[in-house]
Amino acid sequence: MKTILISVFGSILFLVSCKATQFSYAVKKESAKMKVVEKENVINYAALQPQQIPSFADRADNSRGVILGPLMGGAVSLATDGIKMLIAKDRKKYTANYSFALTDLVFYDQLSTESPFDPAGMQFNGFTLVRTFINKKGVLDTALYAQFALDTARPSEIINNSVFRLRVKEIDLDYTKAKITKAQKNAINLDIEIAFNTSYVNENGQLFDNINLGKFYLLLRDAPLDRNDPKYKPYYENLKNKPVDGRSFIVPRSFGYYLAANNLPERCYSQGAYSINVKVTETSKDKFITKIIMDNSNQIMDAIESKAKGALKTKSKP
């Protein structure tokens, strides 16, 4: 037992004395900024094929020869694994959290007289995340750069189901806010959670405040930090155009009025107010001995304290 305690206590002293790698703990005067990318007429309606929705009678009577067009065979399930193992947040020494947020955004470039989910004029095309800090040389440096783009591979899904998805356009990670040691191979685990929220009022006067429309998750493991590492470039190149797990409904338009050409108020639907909230969690890969110490820290400290009290009692005896 004495040998185990001495070994564990020595390991504790060693870990405390470990110096952090040059790529970690980049927190001096840090700044986290996000910018939305907007594009006029994101959906190219001219390129879409006309769709015909058959009635029950059409489906029952094949002799009519109804042309189902793009809907035939297109009802493929898009279900994916909904359970994601997010990184453990109990080891705070090696875990860092920070966030980005943008509010008062508008999803469409024009009002609509059609419906709350009229996709016409959709201008949201993605967003960019940038975290900077002041490095040891006193120069502004970039720790994280990530750009996400609207997935336009299935435009009919946006129109038919009022749902959109995201893809990774580009991501680069050079420094981490979490502490890592030189023995941890300059790699980090990175979780990005993206949430879209909105507030709106419907035609019945019901108010809906801060409603979540959908969430996305990008979970990276052992992401390299050193640009000189042979794994660095291939790792981030493979992320380009990668679909991001999750989905979101397009932003519902709030009910209201506009002043028509006859100077009289007419019913309409708004440009769709929304916000984006992004949570980033970074964690280093703990050594096995580190995990043992952290998971059993209470028992270890109790044993050390008990041994110290025993030594004091021995010395205090005449």
Side-chain angles (χ1 to χ4, degrees), residues 226-255:
D226 187 357
R227 286 184 175 271
N228 294 320
D229 186 339
K231 298 178 182 178
Y232 185 95
K233 188 174 181 180
Y235 185 94
Y236 294 104
E237 283 292 328
N238 288 334
L239 290 175
K240 291 183 177 180
N241 208 37
K242 172 185 171 69
V244 183
D245 290 332
R247 59 99 179 96
S248 175
F249 290 103
I250 64 175
V251 179
R253 299 171 182 264
S254 192
F255 177 73

Side-chain angles (χ1 to χ4, degrees), residues 37-264:
V37 179
E38 295 179 341
K39 179 182 177 182
E40 186 177 358
N41 296 322
V42 169
I43 304 174
N44 184 5
Y45 293 97
L48 299 180
Q49 295 295 322
Q51 294 175 302
Q52 180 178 347
I53 302 176
S55 66
F56 178 81
D58 291 332
R59 290 182 181 276
D61 186 4
N62 293 329
S63 62
R64 298 188 184 187
V66 177
I67 301 175
L68 300 182
L71 289 182
M72 176 62 76
V76 179
S77 175
L78 298 175
T80 56
D81 181 10
I83 300 175
K84 299 298 176 184
M85 293 298 294
L86 300 182
I87 57 177
K89 296 183 175 69
D90 56 338
R91 298 177 179 86
K92 294 182 180 179
K93 184 177 181 181
Y94 294 93
T95 302
N97 300 277
Y98 52 96
S99 60
F100 303 80
L102 279 179
T103 59
D104 297 329
L105 302 167
V106 288
F107 204 70
Y108 312 95
D109 65 6
Q110 61 193 42
L111 299 174
S112 171
T113 57
E114 297 296 325
S115 73
F117 287 99
D118 178 10
M122 179 176 166
Q123 63 179 1
F124 169 77
N125 197 39
F127 60 92
T128 302
L129 307 175
V130 181
R131 189 175 83 85
T132 59
F133 73 105
I134 302 298
N135 61 26
K136 294 180 179 179
K137 297 180 180 179
V139 179
L140 184 67
D141 208 341
T142 300
L144 169 69
Y145 176 84
Q147 188 172 3
F148 297 89
L150 176 71
D151 188 349
T152 56
R154 297 189 295 266
S156 59
E157 184 180 22
I158 298 175
I159 299 172
N160 299 155
N161 303 332
S162 298
V163 167
F164 72 89
R165 301 177 190 274
L166 296 176
R167 287 183 179 270
V168 176
K169 189 170 184 180
E170 184 178 357
I171 184 168
D172 283 301
L173 181 64
D174 294 312
Y175 299 92
T176 173
K177 188 174 180 178
K179 183 178 180 181
I180 59 175
T181 63
K182 293 181 178 179
Q184 292 171 308
K185 299 180 181 179
N186 292 326
I188 198 75
N189 297 328
L190 182 75
D191 285 357
I192 300 179
E193 177 187 301
I194 304 162
F196 285 79
N197 287 52
T198 186
S199 297
Y200 66 99
V201 60
N202 65 15
E203 293 184 59
N204 297 323
Q206 291 176 293
L207 299 173
F208 299 88
D209 187 38
N210 200 29
I211 302 299
N212 179 252
L213 295 170
K215 288 188 176 182
F216 298 87
Y217 296 94
L218 179 64
L219 312 179
L220 305 182
R221 293 297 175 264
D222 295 323
L225 298 167
D226 187 357
R227 286 184 175 271
N228 294 320
D229 186 339
K231 298 178 182 178
Y232 185 95
K233 188 174 181 180
Y235 185 94
Y236 294 104
E237 283 292 328
N238 288 334
L239 290 175
K240 291 183 177 180
N241 208 37
K242 172 185 171 69
V244 183
D245 290 332
R247 59 99 179 96
S248 175
F249 290 103
I250 64 175
V251 179
R253 299 171 182 264
S254 192
F255 177 73
Y257 292 86
Y258 77 103
L259 193 63
N262 56 6
N263 288 327
L264 294 176

Side-chain angles (χ1 to χ4, degrees), residues 279-304:
K279 296 179 182 178
V280 180
T281 303
E282 299 175 350
T283 184
S284 57
K285 189 174 182 180
D286 299 338
K287 292 175 62 178
F288 180 67
I289 185 65
T290 308
K291 186 176 186 300
I292 291 176
I293 292 171
M294 290 182 173
D295 289 346
N296 301 279
S297 57
N298 291 335
Q299 294 88 330
I300 293 170
M301 295 311 296
D302 288 344
I304 293 173

